[in-house]
């Protein structure tokens, strides 16, 4: 039988943050549950058997709060190993004779293991086959965040933004003006803010997608939101990064007037040739985003983009629409912004942490696995400024790796719309979480 009020155990206290200790040892049943749920996101030892998700929190706390035996063997690890080998009886006897594990807990462990083997359910702290996506610049609109503006976490984010940026970012998102929100130096922090605010909505709707996702990804600026979601840096650190990134990119764009255009209906070879034809007389034009089959964004100097629009339409493009971004992003036109961004990345590197889930990167279209040292991520973020965003390859890689459910978190549902063209069969399990 589980002990409802277990004594303090020094080894267990060492695993917890101070607020969690206070909740666990002095709080109510409900606050104990919440504290365990939050702590298990960050402590592999507390994620043993996935108990925080499948078993009563207080009972799980009681079970893992028993003193460690002198042999140093963890009681739940012993139970897990024996149950996974199908030795339930031995597990019960060994646990009962050496450690006071509750019989009910062992019964549930055995049941969960059986479910995993017969149905493929995710147990024992494994991630769910879920990918979480974050959009980039261009998805913003005046009025976004209206539905979450009173959420306590969003209000806390707004206060941090006020301090870091020196202006009321939430107010600009809510009431504009649009011309201000569309400025690169404002839009990038706004999209980062909106994405992280949307995470709170997603948490309420599908907690597993926040607590135990398999992976995250973001398009362009959204990659920073994905890394924050994955725990590489916190909200304030991420906001500092995107502030510098947005300002540096805006300065680079001002030095050489440039723009972007969305082109649909042409294959990559044809479009790449059209772009190359514009690279004359000091002009620049190249494919900047691979969005979906026969769907791209190109970037370059204003004259080159205007000429590309005409030529693309002549070549049979279904769409050739100039975007509301203010620069030739993801081309060599952004090289002046790299040095400043790299400096800020290096400044924050000592405070960064390995990602808690896989993150699929724009530059490669492939994942960096959970636990990767942040120093390996920084060059990819720097290179992203001047390299094409391989969004369609990112999505295809996620699908190939077995992900089956996706959530786009942020304003509008542009990434979900792209999924319909990348893999129509998975569009039905791709959802938008709009803010």
């Amino acid at each position: 039988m589980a002990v409802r009020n277990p004594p303090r155990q020094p080894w267990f206290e060492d695993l917890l943050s101070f607020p969690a200790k206070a909740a666990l040892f002095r709080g109510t049943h409900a606050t104990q549950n919440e504290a365990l749920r939050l702590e298990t996101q960050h402590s592999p030892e507390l994620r043993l058997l996935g108990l925080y998700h499948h078993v009563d929190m207080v009972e799980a706390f009681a079970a893992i709060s028993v003193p460690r035996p002198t042999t140093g063997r963890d009681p739940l690890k012993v139970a897990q190993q024996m149950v996974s080998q199908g030795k339930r009886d031995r597990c019960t006897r060994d646990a009962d004779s050496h450690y006071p594990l509750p019989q009910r807990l062992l019964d549930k462990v055995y049941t969960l293991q059986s479910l995993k083997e017969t149905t493929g359910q995710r147990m024992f702290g494994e991630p769910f086959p879920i990918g979480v996506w974050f959009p980039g610049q261009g998805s913003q609109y005046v009025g976004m965040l209206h539905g979450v503006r009173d959420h306590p976490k969003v209000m806390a984010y707004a206060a941090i933004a006020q301090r870091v940026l020196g202006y009321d970012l939430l107010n600009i998102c809510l009431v504009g003006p649009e011309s201000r929100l569309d400025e690169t130096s404002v839009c990038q922090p706004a999209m980062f803010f909106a994405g992280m605010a949307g995470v709170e909505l997603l948490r309420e709707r599908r907690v597993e997608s926040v607590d135990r996702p398999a992976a995250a990804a973001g398009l362009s600026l959204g990659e920073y939101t994905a890394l924050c979601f994955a725990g590489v840096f916190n909200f304030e650190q991420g906001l500092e990064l995107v502030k510098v990134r947005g300002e540096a990119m805006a300065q680079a764009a001002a030095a050489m007037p440039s723009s972007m255009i969305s082109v649909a209906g042409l294959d990559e070879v044809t479009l790449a040739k059209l772009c190359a034809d514009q690279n004359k007389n000091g002009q620049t034009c190249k494919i900047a985003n691979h969005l979906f089959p026969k769907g791209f964004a190109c970037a370059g100097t204003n004259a080159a983009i205007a000429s590309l629009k005409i030529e693309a339409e002549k070549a049979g493009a279904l769409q050739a629409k100039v975007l509301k971004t203010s620069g030739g992003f993801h081309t060599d036109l952004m090289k002046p912004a790299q040095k400043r961004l790299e400096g800020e990345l290096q400044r924050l590197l000592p405070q960064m942490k390995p990602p808690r889930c896989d993150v699929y990167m724009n530059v490669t279209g492939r994942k960096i696995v959970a636990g990767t040292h942040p120093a390996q991520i920084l060059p990819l973020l720097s290179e992203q400024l001047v390299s094409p965003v391989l969004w369609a390859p990112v999505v295809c890689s996620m699908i190939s790796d077995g992900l089956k459910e996706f959530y786009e978190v942020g304003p509008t549902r542009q990434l979900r719309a792209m999924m319909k063209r990348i893999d129509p069969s998975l569009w039905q399990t791709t959802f938008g979480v709009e803010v």
Side-chain angles (χ1 to χ4, degrees):
M1 181 176 178
V3 180
R4 286 292 170 180
N5 294 295
R8 292 170 181 251
Q9 300 297 336
W11 69 268
F12 183 69
E13 286 192 63
D14 289 344
L15 300 176
L16 303 176
S17 64
F18 180 79
K21 292 177 191 177
L24 286 169
F25 295 111
R26 294 193 295 275
T28 63
H29 187 126
T31 57
Q32 288 175 340
N33 287 354
E34 177 65 9
L36 269 175
R37 187 183 71 78
L38 294 175
E39 289 297 305
T40 50
Q41 296 177 37
H42 307 291
S43 172
E45 190 150 9
L46 293 182
R47 289 172 60 189
L48 286 173
L49 308 179
L51 288 173
Y52 75 100
H53 188 71
H54 299 288
V55 182
D56 178 85
M57 297 292 182
V58 176
E59 182 173 23
F61 169 59
I64 57 180
S65 293
V66 298
R68 290 182 186 273
T70 55
T71 60
R73 299 170 72 202
D74 186 293
L76 286 190
K77 285 184 178 177
V78 171
Q80 181 184 1
Q81 290 169 359
M82 292 181 178
V83 169
S84 66
Q85 296 168 7
K87 300 176 181 177
R88 184 189 184 201
D89 293 339
R90 180 185 163 198
C91 172
T92 304
R93 289 197 307 271
D94 191 58
D96 286 346
S97 61
H98 290 86
Y99 329 112
L101 286 179
Q103 179 63 45
R104 180 181 165 210
L105 178 60
L106 290 173
D107 288 341
K108 286 205 172 187
V109 168
Y110 183 78
T111 300
L112 293 173
Q113 178 67 19
S114 298
L115 279 173
K116 180 182 178 183
E117 293 170 352
T118 57
T119 68
Q121 249 182 314
R122 296 279 166 163
M123 307 295 174
F124 303 115
E126 296 177 29
F128 286 77
I130 294 173
V132 181
W133 296 339
F134 298 93
Q137 191 171 348
S139 294
Q140 74 279 0
Y141 65 91
V142 173
M144 67 182 190
L145 292 169
H146 183 272
V148 295
R149 62 180 177 177
D150 295 324
H151 190 289
K153 195 67 173 283
V154 175
M155 294 173 67
Y157 285 159
I160 293 172
Q162 176 80 53
R163 184 176 72 252
V164 171
L165 303 174
Y167 57 84
D168 191 340
L169 181 61
L170 179 58
N171 187 65
I172 293 174
C173 292
L174 293 172
V175 301
E178 183 177 6
S179 59
R180 176 75 165 138
L181 180 60
D182 288 348
E183 293 176 11
T184 296
S185 60
V186 176
C187 181
Q188 294 197 17
M191 286 300 300
F192 177 78
F193 181 15
M196 294 308 298
V199 169
E200 299 310 310
L201 279 184
L202 180 59
R203 190 189 305 278
E204 295 172 1
R205 297 177 186 178
R206 182 85 157 90
V207 67
E208 296 89 350
S209 62
V210 176
D211 287 353
R212 289 162 61 190
L219 195 157
S220 189
L221 178 279
E223 189 162 78
Y224 288 78
T225 322
L227 289 167
C228 184
F229 171 79
V232 175
F233 38 75
N234 63 29
F235 178 81
E236 183 168 349
Q237 293 160 352
L239 196 63
E240 291 171 350
L241 277 173
V242 299
K243 175 181 182 290
V244 169
R245 183 181 187 269
E247 291 173 351
M249 292 173 70
Q251 291 172 1
M256 176 65 75
S258 51
S259 53
M260 299 184 72
I261 184 172
S262 172
V263 180
L266 299 180
D267 61 72
E268 182 179 351
V269 173
T270 300
L271 184 57
K273 184 179 185 304
L274 291 178
C275 287
D277 290 344
Q278 315 312 314
N279 290 326
K280 54 189 177 183
N281 301 323
Q283 300 299 311
T284 295
C285 184
K286 66 180 288 190
I287 296 176
N289 296 169
H290 296 247
L291 301 173
F292 52 85
K294 294 188 177 182
F296 305 89
C298 301
T301 50
N302 286 342
I305 293 300
S307 179
L308 176 64
K309 176 177 171 60
I310 295 171
E311 296 303 318
E313 290 172 343
K314 288 181 180 178
L318 300 176
Q319 173 183 288
K321 179 182 178 182
V322 177
L323 302 176
K324 59 178 182 178
T325 53
S326 58
F329 303 150
H330 305 293
T331 71
D332 288 344
L333 294 172
M334 292 294 108
K335 277 190 176 295
Q338 268 188 307
K339 185 174 182 180
R340 186 176 172 194
L341 176 62
E342 288 170 353
E344 186 67 6
L345 288 167
Q346 289 296 330
R347 183 182 74 82
L348 289 173
L349 177 58
Q351 303 172 52
M352 294 184 188
K353 299 176 181 178
R356 64 186 177 93
C357 63
D358 297 343
V359 181
Y360 288 74
M361 304 301 288
N362 288 184
V363 171
T364 63
R366 297 189 297 273
K367 67 184 176 184
I368 53 164
V369 298
T372 297
H373 194 284
Q376 298 180 39
I377 302 172
L378 267 55
L380 299 175
L381 293 176
S382 173
E383 191 63 24
Q384 189 224 61
L385 278 184
V386 296
S387 301
V389 170
L390 304 180
W391 181 252
V394 160
V395 175
C396 290
S397 293
M398 297 176 96
I399 295 169
S400 296
D401 288 341
L403 276 69
K404 303 180 185 300
E405 189 176 330
F406 300 92
Y407 292 86
E408 177 183 2
V409 183
T412 73
R413 299 187 179 186
Q414 291 187 0
L415 301 182
R416 183 172 186 265
M418 294 177 198
M419 183 58 143
K420 196 166 190 177
R421 302 195 181 195
I422 295 172
D423 191 324
S425 66
L426 286 175
W427 181 75
Q428 296 293 341
T429 56
T430 302
F431 308 96
V433 182
E434 294 188 56
V435 294

